[in-house]
Amino acid sequence: MKNNPDLNKEFVPLYHQLKETIREEIDSGNWRPNDKIPSEHQFMGKYQVSRNTVQKAVDDLVHEGLIYRQQGRGTFVAQPKVEQSLTSFYIFSKVMKDKGLNPYDIILDIDEVTPKKSVAKQLQIDTEEKVIQLVRVRCANNEPLIFETTFLPKKIVPHLTKEDVEKNTLFTFMEQKYNISVVSSKEVFEPVLIRDYESKHLDVKPGMPGLLLDRVDYDLDKRPVSYLRSIVRGDRCRFYTELIK
C-alpha cells in the first residue's frame, strides 16, 4: 500500500480512500453518466486492495446514488442529482420544467380525514376540523423522486378532486378557485432512512438515505393554508443555498 501514491494515507481507511478516488474520477468528468466503471478485479489489481475494500467503497457510492449496478453487466456512473435552490420559493413542476425535465404526479389518494395533533398544530386548526389529505408521488422523466403527503384545511378548500390536481398545480387551483395566494413558506429538512412503504413508491430499497421535508405554506394574511411532508430520494436529489457576506 505504501508504494501506491493514490492510496497511502494510513490514518484513513482504505475503502474510504478508494471511494474518494472513484468520486474524483466522476466529479472531474473522466467518467461520465452511464459509463461503466472498472470491475472489482481491476480495482484490486490497480490499488492492491482486498475484495472487501472494493465492495465497501462501491456499496457506499451506490447507497449515495453516485453509481448504480446492473445485474450481469457491471457498475455504472449515475445521472447527476436533481438540484434545487433553497434561496427562493419553488413549485416542483416549474422547477423540473426549467431543468428540461418532464414532471408528472402519480395520485395515490385524495380523502377527507381527521388530522393528527401534529398536523392540526401546523395548520393552526382544531383536531375536530376536517382536512383534505392528498398523497402523491412526484416524478420527473419517468423517475419517482418524492413521496409527498399534503394536508389542506377543508374549510378553505372544500372541494378538491383528482382532476383538479392533474389539470393544474395545487397553488394555481387554490388561487383560481378560492382566491388563495401562497406567498411564503417555512421548510425544515432532516436526514432519514426511507421506510418500506415509501420505498415501494420511490423504486428504491428500504433503508436508502432520504430527506424529510416539512413545509407549511402561508397566504397574504400569514394564515397556514397547506402543510406537506415529503420524503425526497437522497440518491437523486440535493438542495443548496447561496450565502453572501
Side-chain angles (χ1 to χ4, degrees), residues 108-162:
L108 301 178
D109 186 43
I110 297 181
D111 198 10
E112 179 183 315
V113 301
T114 300
K116 295 181 179 179
K117 289 183 178 180
S118 58
V119 173
K121 181 180 179 180
Q122 294 287 357
L123 291 173
Q124 298 178 19
I125 61 175
D126 294 329
T127 53
E128 292 79 14
E129 295 187 42
K130 296 293 185 179
V131 298
I132 304 299
Q133 176 181 277
L134 167 63
V135 184
R136 54 186 171 172
V137 179
R138 319 299 304 269
C139 306
N141 282 13
N142 298 316
E143 185 176 31
L145 298 179
I146 303 173
F147 181 87
E148 181 179 284
T149 304
T150 304
F151 302 93
L152 305 103
K154 184 183 177 183
K155 63 184 179 184
I156 66 171
V157 187
H159 304 291
L160 179 67
T161 67
K162 180 179 179 181

Side-chain angles (χ1 to χ4, degrees), residues 54-141:
V54 177
Q55 289 178 340
K56 173 63 174 171
V58 171
D59 284 347
D60 276 11
L61 292 172
V62 169
H63 207 60
E64 293 177 16
L66 200 64
I67 57 179
Y68 65 95
R69 292 189 176 98
Q70 285 192 350
Q71 188 72 29
R73 294 193 60 217
T75 305
F76 301 82
V77 179
Q79 291 292 329
K81 293 186 179 183
V82 178
E83 290 190 339
Q84 170 57 46
S85 172
L86 296 178
T87 56
S88 61
F89 190 82
Y90 71 92
I91 298 173
F92 175 82
S93 57
K94 182 179 185 303
V95 169
M96 295 302 106
K97 288 179 180 178
D98 289 345
K99 294 180 179 297
L101 303 176
N102 178 37
Y104 68 95
D105 293 339
I106 300 174
I107 310 297
L108 301 178
D109 186 43
I110 297 181
D111 198 10
E112 179 183 315
V113 301
T114 300
K116 295 181 179 179
K117 289 183 178 180
S118 58
V119 173
K121 181 180 179 180
Q122 294 287 357
L123 291 173
Q124 298 178 19
I125 61 175
D126 294 329
T127 53
E128 292 79 14
E129 295 187 42
K130 296 293 185 179
V131 298
I132 304 299
Q133 176 181 277
L134 167 63
V135 184
R136 54 186 171 172
V137 179
R138 319 299 304 269
C139 306
N141 282 13

Side-chain angles (χ1 to χ4, degrees), residues 226-242:
S226 68
Y227 167 58
L228 64 83
R229 292 177 64 85
S230 300
I231 300 297
V232 184
R233 282 179 55 176
D235 65 323
R236 292 296 296 120
C237 304
R238 66 179 179 180
F239 296 82
Y240 70 92
T241 187
E242 298 178 6

